[in-house]
Amino acid sequence: MSKKITIIGSGFSSLAAACYSAKAGNEVTVYEKNATIGGRARQLKKEGFTFDIGPTWYWMPDVFERFFADFNKKPSDYYELIKLSPAYQVYFGVKDFVTIADNLPEIVKTFEQIETGSGKQLENFIKEAQSNYDIAIKDLVYRPGVSPLELITIETAKKVNQFFGNISSDIRRKFKNKKLIQILEFPVLFLGAKPSDTPSFYSFMNFADFGLGTWHPKNGMYSVILAMEKLAIELGVKIYTNSNIEKIEVENGTAKALIINGEKIISDVILSGADYHHSESLLDEKHRAYSEKYWNNKTFAPSSLLFYVGFDKKIQNVEHHSLFFDVDFDVHASDIYDNPKWPKEPLFYASFPSKTDENSAPEGKEAGIFLIPLAPGLEDTEELRNVYFEKIITRFENLTQQEVKNSIIFRESFCVNDFIKDYNSYKGNAYGLANTLLQTAFLRPKLKSKKVKNLYFTGQLTVPGPGVPPALISGKLVSELIEKNS
């Protein structure tokens, strides 16, 4: 039977859920508080430059293919994908960098040149990582986190030790060179936890990196949002922006309506793709499933300080994606997770989409995105932002052996306060809940409200977890749950 489904937010998970729910024959409406759709994946356009405000890495192309295939479509029906070659570059010092190729055989050669014997070790490690990927991404993550029994399969039973070991120990047993260790530990940062707190099973991220490669959708990650919007509209979804949700109304234990810009919108089912903590704050306290103490005790993935910079010249000695690991990885990780504070010397990441995509910047100019991972909940001031930009741009000049400060046309920034203001993000987190052992699958906040009937949640604070591919999957899972429970 057709239902009137109202969705809060228009990020990846909300748009995915909207598409699936509309395909099932429901009347679906999406309400977005901001002026443009996309949630954290919005775009900044300025003086001929175009920046992805949020995600810039396109990994796990098979998940995107699977999403569009569910609607008899392909990503290529909506956007052009470019495989990055090389995938990315990692700087460890002046003229000291490692370039990661777009294929495993070349990466194996690179490892072997740095540490004798590591090439074979890498082949074995990635073979195991691929096995984990096949189990996790093709099966486990497509389960709704309702029961611990979802994790118990013939395949996972063979790998039970990998749920109790950790990535950091595994890598250090196989590799001794510090550079190689950091390169292999880097992908789990997308999961939002220290490698020492991330279960071994999550090595599947290394297969996503070395086995499947790094891609760029032409015109940026926002192309995927626009593709999903087009698909949703084709399926009959209505989308409204500038629609601030003020309250979720509950009658007799059932979600009945949203108050949007002062207007009451009646609905059969309410689904929130907004920040989970914020979504529950729209309920009267007695209807909330999770307390403030619950959220405060959770391990959150980092926030970020981001800079969007227009340069009046082409930047040299960098790739589309470049990581700067010239300072102590463990100290910065500790400043995020163990003793939250602004890092004295931060690692940082830089993306130059105009290296690949001429539409990102005017001819002869360069678009640069710089990101520093930070603990959520930190003090955020304009002064601090300025101090940290100066820190990283000075190091950037030194490491890449070029002068760039005088070539800056403009600089915009985005940090903790903006994550809170624009996305109602808990403590200004950027990536949701970390994927630690005690925050995996059925141990994450539920897709279906435990206290209110016909109220559901999707996105990075629920199942399956942080990242763009998991967000697409989250939308599919919750839409299936809605159909099953109706």
Side-chain angles (χ1 to χ4, degrees), residues 32-34 42 53 414 417-425:
E32 166 60 51
K33 76 181 278 284
N34 291 307
R42 293 179 303 152
I53 291 177
F414 199 96
N417 291 347
D418 301 298
F419 280 103
I420 294 169
K421 176 174 69 73
D422 288 3
Y423 311 131
N424 295 305
S425 169

Side-chain angles (χ1 to χ4, degrees), residues 227-339:
M228 294 176 75
E229 177 191 37
K230 187 176 181 187
L231 174 61
I233 291 170
E234 288 168 357
L235 291 164
V237 177
K238 293 184 177 68
I239 301 173
Y240 297 97
T241 54
N242 296 308
S243 300
N244 186 46
I245 314 298
E246 292 154 5
K247 188 172 177 61
I248 300 172
E249 288 204 344
V250 177
E251 293 176 21
N252 300 319
T254 301
K256 288 292 187 182
L258 291 177
I259 306 299
I260 304 174
N261 294 339
E263 182 185 352
K264 187 172 183 174
I265 307 292
I266 305 292
S267 184
D268 297 321
V269 173
I270 292 171
L271 166 62
S272 182
D275 176 276
Y276 204 123
H277 171 270
H278 169 71
S279 301
E280 284 217 316
S281 77
L282 299 171
L283 295 161
D284 290 337
E285 194 167 346
K286 63 182 177 182
H287 299 308
R288 299 172 194 169
Y290 302 101
S291 66
E292 286 298 318
K293 183 180 178 184
Y294 171 89
W295 292 112
N296 203 41
N297 287 336
K298 290 290 148 187
T299 301
F300 274 81
S303 184
S304 299
L305 169 54
L306 291 133
F307 297 101
Y308 312 98
V309 187
F311 294 97
D312 68 6
K313 67 175 184 180
K314 302 304 286 184
I315 304 300
Q316 306 302 313
N317 307 328
V318 290
E319 297 296 340
H320 182 127
H321 293 303
S322 296
L323 301 161
F324 294 86
F325 287 1
D326 54 307
V327 297
D328 197 307
F329 187 103
D330 295 329
V331 170
H332 188 164
S334 179
D335 289 342
I336 295 172
Y337 296 105
D338 302 332
N339 180 26

Side-chain angles (χ1 to χ4, degrees), residues 153-162:
T153 68
I154 293 170
E155 296 303 322
T156 57
K158 296 173 187 173
K159 294 175 177 281
V160 67
N161 291 339
Q162 292 203 32

